[in-house]
Amino acid sequence: MNNREIVVTEVALRDGSHAVNHSFTIEQVSRVVKALDDANVPFIEVSHGDGLGGSSIQYGFSNTNEMELIEAAVDAAENSAISVLLLPGIGTVEQLKEAHKLGAKMVRVATHVTEADVSKQHISLGKELGMETVGFLMMSHMVPAEKLLEQALLMESYGADTVYVVDSAGALLPHEVKERIKLLKSNLKVDIGFHAHNNLSLAMANTLAAIEEGATRIDGSVRCLGAGAGNTQTEVLVSVLERMNITTGIDVYKMMDLAEELVAPILQEPQEITKGSLVLGYAGVYSSFLLHAYRAAEKYHLDPRDILIELGNRKVVGGQEDMIIDVASELAGYKIS
Amino acid sequence: MNNREIVVTEVALRDGSHAVNHSFTIEQVSRVVKALDDANVPFIEVSHGDGLGGSSIQYGFSNTNEMELIEAAVDAAENSAISVLLLPGIGTVEQLKEAHKLGAKMVRVATHVTEADVSKQHISLGKELGMETVGFLMMSHMVPAEKLLEQALLMESYGADTVYVVDSAGALLPHEVKERIKLLKSNLKVDIGFHAHNNLSLAMANTLAAIEEGATRIDGSVRCLGAGAGNTQTEVLVSVLERMNITTGIDVYKMMDLAEELVAPILQEPQEITKGSLVLGYAGVYSSFLLHAYRAAEKYHLDPRDILIELGNRKVVGGQEDMIIDVASELAGYKIS
């Protein structure tokens, strides 16, 4: 990590899993990891989109067992460290041990922004195993900065080496990112990270805002291969930071080349900001709500956006999909009355 | 323009002309303008990508005479004003008079950032005709802020109602935008505008930076339908500004709908940041250089990016394409010596 002011974690092979219906192959992972390693990317995350153990009827089955993908990634990397994502409740302690045994060097333990307390066991295990261990606070836009700090402090107390502010819905505005990173930076001893989504075309703006306030760990997805509208586009981020004289240690030309030659062909569709991804960022809700909201809207003759925005206002979280019908029927009722 | 803190000009039907090889049809223009008008967009620009008279062997022929497109746009708009772009040297006084006669209400007179003096005649004519008249300083990243101010003051002195900072290559960084807008804002009496390109994924970041420093006129292209990597995506911009409680007067839902239903099908390819557009933004050069640089690179066994970056460093401008071979041969010579 020497001489890197900003340490990048490439997430296309994990966050991008959503965008390709969990269809990554061993050959794709090997080739992309080899090229990222050659470009000197320090961390490369490989897991099901929903983390270890995500392959399931609920989150979508992986075409290839993720442990085989992790193994292929470890084999292909000479210097890059392979990272895995783990959501307590989805991934298990056993799966983390297995990934570690295969050679994964970093684990990112991800919880909803209000549920850091469920990360204790897994963060502790990561440390015990000698892995670099990150706390990953998802849907960080849903709580005020003070609440976020409280949760980040919990993760720090469990032993996390880094705590990430994760803008899962791509809903944060730059001033909101600044406020959050600044508060964490001045109250935590560990490193601060930031993970963006581009639903509001703000991934780069928010990433620069986070760096300005002291975040040193940044996620990107090459060619924007991530869920929703994708993340901060890695090869573009590296180019921008180079123009700003901020070192990432990553070879700009090699990143541009591998994006075009290796990653673009993997995308099922070019990444753009569609109506669906925009609405999610605008409403600040989980992508899993989209289809449910459209169905409920049809049933109750509503605009699905009104439902999504109301869900966002009520801070409905993943797992509460049954609320969607309640909200729709209420909205329909208001309209009649 | 009442109750609009930010006045948006939609440029997809002009800047997007490049992205579709100048193939816009009367039917496309009519339908899109009608929908934009219904969404309450104040200004809609319709011209060849290189402005009035751009249809030519050098800039690419339009499939449909732009005067017919302008007429169709004027007919389709109830409240929106139709704008035309004019580059002195390409478009003529006669063409501007014709567009005005057809009902165009705004003209934007565009020059290279160091050549504002050639805009005098056309800005004066725009004012004489009673049109809203804008000075449009292209490739604004190529000169220091002080030089930009000098050129903007010239346009103001000719009678421009607004002066735009135009980031033609998508090369400006947010702090560079702030510096430029701030200086113009504190020295000009007229309104300040900003036109972004997304080559470095900074269109939204730069637009917000411009607004923060006092720009009140902003360009966007719906569905990112513009040259290079496209512009600030209009429907996303309107959503973000609404979230920031900054009024544009534009209906967010209608913009989202027309982007998805009417404009997305017009794009020949979804808009994404490719290697080509990224390199242009990174090097800060005209898009017309790209093909020439790739050819020269092949001839001299160079990386085309090295040529483009050197062209950017030397501030080579459009029309100086013959410099590309000179630079390539020099770079190749340095390698041998």
Side-chain angles (χ1 to χ4, degrees):
Chain A
M1 303 308 111
N2 298 331
N3 303 319
R4 299 189 200 262
E5 291 166 81
I6 297 298
V7 176
V8 170
T9 297
E10 169 57 52
V11 300
L13 296 173
R14 195 276 306 164
D15 209 320
S17 170
H18 295 291
V20 297
N21 295 312
H22 318 294
S23 66
F24 287 133
T25 64
I26 288 177
E27 202 215 339
Q28 286 171 340
V29 167
S30 294
R31 246 192 305 166
V32 173
V33 167
K34 198 170 182 316
L36 291 168
D37 179 86
D38 188 48
N40 204 24
V41 173
F43 290 100
I44 304 168
E45 192 158 83
V46 180
S47 309
H48 183 281
D50 294 287
L52 295 179
S55 179
S56 61
I57 196 164
Q58 190 179 356
Y59 299 108
F61 287 105
S62 302
N63 287 8
T64 303
N65 183 319
E66 67 188 324
M67 293 301 171
E68 291 178 40
L69 299 180
I70 291 165
E71 194 171 12
V74 169
D75 286 348
E78 266 184 56
N79 299 301
S80 304
I82 302 304
S83 167
V84 293
L85 183 76
L86 187 149
L87 279 67
I90 299 178
T92 65
V93 161
E94 296 313 317
Q95 286 162 332
L96 177 54
K97 286 181 182 166
E98 189 181 348
H100 169 255
K101 211 167 167 183
L102 292 172
K105 292 276 189 297
M106 177 162 82
V107 58
R108 308 209 292 179
V109 182
T111 76
H112 184 69
V113 64
T114 55
E115 295 172 3
D117 57 341
V118 305
S119 69
K120 183 173 182 181
Q121 184 191 10
H122 302 84
I123 289 179
S124 306
L125 177 60
K127 293 305 297 175
E128 268 173 51
L129 294 170
M131 299 175 85
E132 170 130 9
T133 304
V134 173
F136 208 67
L137 288 165
M138 300 186 293
M139 299 295 272
S140 281
H141 74 284
M142 292 186 78
V143 296
E146 295 67 29
K147 180 73 180 174
L148 183 69
L149 171 61
E150 168 203 299
Q151 298 291 302
L153 284 167
L154 281 179
M155 285 179 159
E156 183 182 59
S157 77
Y158 303 151
D161 302 303
T162 300
V163 177
Y164 260 72
V165 175
V166 181
D167 183 18
S168 312
L172 282 171
L173 301 171
H175 71 273
E176 296 171 335
V177 173
K178 282 192 180 181
E179 183 195 8
R180 283 162 174 73
I181 299 289
K182 190 175 187 175
L183 190 66
L184 265 58
K185 186 73 189 171
S186 56
N187 287 280
L188 269 70
K189 290 174 206 75
V190 300
D191 290 339
I192 310 299
F194 181 69
H195 173 101
H197 277 272
N198 202 36
N199 299 57
L200 294 178
S201 199
L202 285 168
M204 190 66 73
N206 285 343
T207 295
L208 297 184
I211 290 173
E212 196 178 322
E213 295 299 338
T216 54
R217 301 290 296 251
I218 298 293
D219 284 7
S221 60
V222 57
R223 199 68 174 208
C224 228
L225 175 52
N231 313 91
T232 311
Q233 195 169 333
T234 315
E235 71 277 23
V236 184
L237 173 67
V238 171
S239 302
V240 168
L241 293 181
E242 183 134 324
R243 284 275 311 278
M244 295 173 76
N245 297 315
I246 296 173
T247 59
T248 63
I250 297 173
D251 186 306
V252 177
Y253 281 10
K254 287 180 178 174
M255 281 305 296
M256 291 177 175
D257 288 339
L258 76 93
E260 189 90 359
E261 292 156 23
L262 296 184
V263 178
I266 295 175
L267 271 79
Q268 296 177 342
E269 292 180 335
Q271 188 60 275
E272 54 179 348
I273 304 176
T274 62
K275 181 171 158 183
S277 50
L278 171 55
V279 169
L280 293 173
Y282 182 65
V285 295
Y286 275 100
S287 54
S288 59
F289 288 8
L290 195 61
L291 190 61
H292 296 286
Y294 273 80
R295 282 189 192 141
E298 203 170 324
K299 183 172 172 188
Y300 290 96
H301 307 291
L302 296 166
D303 189 311
R305 290 171 288 205
D306 290 330
I307 301 174
L308 290 165
I309 288 165
E310 182 60 24
L311 291 167
N313 290 340
R314 294 192 191 182
K315 315 264 181 223
V316 175
V317 302
Q320 297 184 297
E321 280 79 358
D322 52 331
M323 288 281 292
I324 295 173
I325 288 289
D326 296 348
V327 165
S329 81
E330 270 187 58
L331 287 176
Y334 293 148
K335 284 212 165 174
I336 291 161
S337 69
Chain B
M1 302 307 112
N2 299 333
N3 304 319
R4 300 188 200 263
E5 292 166 81
I6 298 298
V7 176
V8 170
T9 297
E10 169 58 53
V11 300
L13 295 173
R14 195 276 305 164
D15 209 320
S17 171
H18 295 292
V20 297
N21 296 313
H22 317 295
S23 66
F24 286 133
T25 64
I26 289 177
E27 202 215 339
Q28 286 171 341
V29 167
S30 294
R31 245 192 307 167
V32 173
V33 167
K34 198 171 182 316
L36 290 167
D37 180 86
D38 188 47
N40 204 24
V41 173
F43 289 100
I44 304 167
E45 192 158 82
V46 180
S47 309
H48 183 281
D50 294 288
L52 295 179
S55 180
S56 61
I57 196 165
Q58 190 179 356
Y59 300 107
F61 286 105
S62 302
N63 286 9
T64 304
N65 183 318
E66 67 188 326
M67 293 301 171
E68 291 178 39
L69 299 180
I70 291 164
E71 195 173 10
V74 170
D75 285 349
E78 265 184 59
N79 298 301
S80 304
I82 302 304
S83 166
V84 293
L85 183 75
L86 187 150
L87 279 67
I90 299 178
T92 65
V93 162
E94 296 313 317
Q95 286 161 333
L96 178 54
K97 286 180 182 166
E98 190 181 347
H100 169 255
K101 211 168 169 183
L102 292 172
K105 291 276 190 296
M106 178 163 81
V107 58
R108 308 209 291 179
V109 182
T111 76
H112 184 69
V113 64
T114 55
E115 295 171 3
D117 57 342
V118 305
S119 68
K120 183 173 182 182
Q121 185 191 9
H122 303 83
I123 289 179
S124 305
L125 177 60
K127 293 304 295 173
E128 268 173 50
L129 294 170
M131 300 175 84
E132 170 129 10
T133 303
V134 173
F136 208 67
L137 288 165
M138 299 187 293
M139 299 295 272
S140 281
H141 74 284
M142 292 187 79
V143 296
E146 295 67 28
K147 179 72 181 174
L148 183 70
L149 171 61
E150 168 203 300
Q151 298 290 303
L153 285 167
L154 282 179
M155 285 180 158
E156 183 181 58
S157 77
Y158 303 151
D161 302 303
T162 300
V163 177
Y164 260 73
V165 176
V166 180
D167 184 19
S168 312
L172 282 171
L173 302 171
H175 70 273
E176 296 170 334
V177 173
K178 282 192 181 181
E179 184 195 8
R180 282 162 174 74
I181 300 290
K182 190 175 186 174
L183 191 66
L184 264 58
K185 186 72 189 172
S186 55
N187 286 280
L188 268 70
K189 289 174 207 76
V190 300
D191 290 338
I192 311 298
F194 181 69
H195 173 101
H197 278 271
N198 202 36
N199 298 58
L200 295 178
S201 200
L202 285 167
M204 190 66 73
N206 286 344
T207 296
L208 296 184
I211 290 173
E212 196 178 323
E213 295 299 339
T216 54
R217 301 290 295 251
I218 297 293
D219 283 8
S221 60
V222 57
R223 200 68 174 208
C224 229
L225 174 52
N231 312 90
T232 311
Q233 195 169 332
T234 315
E235 70 278 23
V236 184
L237 173 67
V238 171
S239 303
V240 167
L241 293 181
E242 183 135 325
R243 284 274 312 278
M244 296 172 76
N245 297 315
I246 296 173
T247 58
T248 63
I250 298 173
D251 187 305
V252 177
Y253 280 10
K254 287 181 178 174
M255 281 305 296
M256 291 176 175
D257 289 339
L258 76 93
E260 188 90 359
E261 292 156 24
L262 296 184
V263 178
I266 295 176
L267 270 78
Q268 295 177 342
E269 292 180 335
Q271 189 60 276
E272 54 179 348
I273 304 176
T274 62
K275 181 171 158 184
S277 51
L278 171 55
V279 168
L280 292 174
Y282 183 64
V285 295
Y286 274 99
S287 54
S288 60
F289 288 7
L290 196 60
L291 190 61
H292 295 286
Y294 272 80
R295 282 189 192 142
E298 202 169 323
K299 184 171 172 189
Y300 290 96
H301 307 290
L302 295 166
D303 189 311
R305 291 171 287 205
D306 289 330
I307 301 174
L308 290 165
I309 289 166
E310 182 60 23
L311 291 167
N313 289 340
R314 295 191 191 183
K315 315 264 181 224
V316 175
V317 300
Q320 297 184 297
E321 280 78 359
D322 53 330
M323 288 281 293
I324 295 174
I325 288 289
D326 296 349
V327 165
S329 82
E330 271 186 57
L331 287 176
Y334 294 147
K335 284 213 166 173
I336 292 162
S337 70

